[in-house]
Amino acid sequence: MATPLIEARHLKKYFQTAKGTLHAVDDVSFRIEKGHTMGVVGESGCGKSTLGRTLIHLLESTDGQIFFEGEDITHVDKKRLHKINEEMQIVFQDPYSSLNPRQTVEETVMEPIRLSRRCKSKAEIQEQTERLMDMVGIDKRLRHAYPHELDGGRRQRVGIARALALNPKFIVCDEPVSALDVSIQAQVLNLLQDLQQEHGLTYMFVTHDLSVVRHISDDICVMYLGQLVETAPSKELFRKPLHPYTKALLSAIPSIDIDHPHERIRLEGEVVSPIDPKPGCRFAARCPYACENCHKPQQLEEIEPNHFISCCRAKELNGDVL
């Protein structure tokens, strides 16, 4: 089996709060192949963004391992971490708050190039900066504008150009289109896909929009309260979801077929607290199929090739599908 570009093994990220330990990311494992996009979906607060930030060391993990091109980068010295930070970048959700309001578009894109000291002259820095702005479609007339003078789509293009400045191999896209209008969303998604094909980029695409993740992802991980409940190739997941939570998520996608509308699965019950959670399935309190065994620790199990699910009743509930 080929070495994945990035891999997480039993990754955990906990935060200490006044009420106890918050399990933001709890025992998460996955692989992302080079040139692929892995979508991460789930409700707000499930740990998607924390997972992405932990992978690229914006947050330090509590436990587990992170591998980049086969190298264990979980704990590295400052010199190696600096190099890793060049190869792993992030595009933030809010393109306004992630940009320095005192820097022009050109200065924002130029800054990481200048600080990296890769270029030997100011002319070379300027050339690289202009190449990046051309690459993401920033008009020349806007290159001396400030963030407040741009709309959301153009600000996000600036954020993408900044992320690409040091030629990274892996980019975490943290809900990069959720704050944009639908038409602008399509433009930014197409730009990300074009850049991926041209430069062989690998993405982790964090979103709560299932229509978006279906469009851009090769594989999808479904998260619930810090844990993965199902992972599968994108087409397989949409064709044959197996976990009750995944089925409920997919049923919430709006349908334009008024003659054959799909049935909406309505979840009842309270969301359990991620602070010092009890062992067992964290979705059990809202699951209509919960039983006594659901309160025991659950593990991701490969039901079909590359299709993993964390549910003790998976085979029983999907027997006619499998």
Side-chain angles (χ1 to χ4, degrees):
M1 184 180 293
T3 302
L5 182 76
I6 192 160
E7 180 179 5
R9 297 181 187 172
H10 308 290
L11 191 62
K12 298 179 181 179
K13 177 58 184 176
Y14 298 165
F15 296 95
Q16 297 301 321
T17 71
K19 295 183 179 181
T21 304
L22 190 153
H23 293 222
V25 176
D26 203 357
D27 199 17
V28 169
S29 300
F30 59 82
R31 301 158 59 97
I32 310 178
E33 305 298 329
K34 184 178 180 180
H36 284 213
T37 299
M38 187 188 80
V40 182
V41 300
E43 295 172 89
S44 296
C46 72
K48 306 185 298 295
S49 296
T50 302
L51 174 60
R53 295 179 186 213
T54 303
L55 278 181
I56 63 173
H57 284 276
L58 281 182
L59 297 171
E60 291 302 319
S61 60
T62 301
D63 198 3
Q65 293 176 290
I66 304 169
F67 292 85
F68 183 70
E69 296 185 315
E71 176 192 356
D72 188 343
I73 62 167
T74 314
H75 305 289
V76 291
D77 58 33
K78 289 185 178 180
K79 184 177 180 180
R80 180 65 184 124
L81 182 59
H82 180 75
K83 181 63 177 176
I84 290 169
N85 288 338
E86 293 183 357
E87 297 180 325
M88 305 167 72
Q89 290 290 320
I90 185 169
V91 177
F92 293 98
Q93 176 179 0
D94 185 350
Y96 186 68
S97 63
S98 64
L99 301 178
N100 187 336
R102 297 184 179 183
Q103 288 185 329
T104 65
V105 170
E106 185 176 73
E107 290 169 342
T108 299
V109 178
M110 182 182 294
E111 185 176 38
I113 302 173
R114 179 175 54 81
L115 293 176
S116 70
R117 298 181 179 178
R118 292 184 177 186
C119 298
K120 298 179 181 179
S121 65
K122 290 184 178 180
E124 191 176 350
I125 293 174
Q126 185 67 36
E127 181 183 347
Q128 288 278 34
T129 302
E130 291 180 359
R131 180 183 65 83
L132 283 164
M133 291 188 291
D134 286 336
M135 189 187 302
V136 300
I138 299 173
D139 296 337
K140 290 186 178 180
R141 64 184 177 85
L142 298 174
R143 295 180 181 182
H144 296 288
Y146 289 89
H148 73 271
E149 299 177 282
L150 307 176
D151 60 26
R154 290 189 175 96
R155 288 178 196 146
Q156 198 59 286
R157 288 176 186 269
V158 176
I160 293 170
R162 180 178 61 183
L164 292 172
L166 301 180
N167 299 317
K169 297 177 181 177
F170 176 65
I171 299 179
V172 174
C173 301
D174 186 8
E175 303 212 36
V177 297
S178 64
L180 307 179
D181 294 336
V182 174
S183 59
I184 306 301
Q185 285 186 10
Q187 294 176 21
V188 173
L189 288 174
N190 289 335
L191 172 62
L192 288 170
Q193 289 184 308
D194 291 343
L195 292 170
Q196 183 176 44
Q197 292 176 2
E198 291 171 14
H199 303 281
L201 297 171
T202 303
Y203 294 145
M204 174 178 169
F205 198 93
V206 174
T207 183
H208 62 271
D209 190 329
L210 291 162
S211 300
V212 168
V213 81
R214 183 177 194 173
H215 175 71
I216 198 170
S217 300
D218 297 293
D219 303 285
I220 296 177
C221 293
V222 182
M223 284 191 76
Y224 187 81
L225 288 181
Q227 296 183 325
L228 298 186
V229 297
E230 188 166 2
T231 70
S234 180
K235 292 181 180 178
E236 174 75 5
L237 188 83
F238 278 86
R239 184 179 67 85
K240 190 166 56 178
L242 300 179
H243 196 281
Y245 178 63
T246 307
K247 293 178 180 179
L249 281 182
L250 297 187
S251 77
I253 300 176
S255 173
I256 60 173
D257 188 349
I258 60 175
D259 296 321
H260 303 89
H262 57 249
E263 182 180 355
R264 173 76 182 273
I265 300 174
R266 298 185 181 277
L267 298 176
E268 299 180 353
E270 295 185 8
V271 178
V272 299
S273 173
I275 297 177
D276 297 322
K278 297 179 181 179
C281 178
R282 294 175 188 175
F283 182 63
R286 303 171 72 191
C287 181
Y289 309 108
C291 64
E292 190 64 31
N293 286 336
C294 295
H295 299 291
K296 299 177 182 179
Q298 309 287 309
Q299 298 292 333
L300 276 175
E301 181 182 358
E302 190 171 17
I303 301 294
E304 290 189 338
N306 297 321
H307 196 152
F308 295 81
I309 181 172
S310 176
C311 178
C312 61
R313 299 193 65 188
K315 292 181 180 179
E316 175 190 349
L317 296 174
N318 297 286
D320 56 335
V321 176
L322 296 174

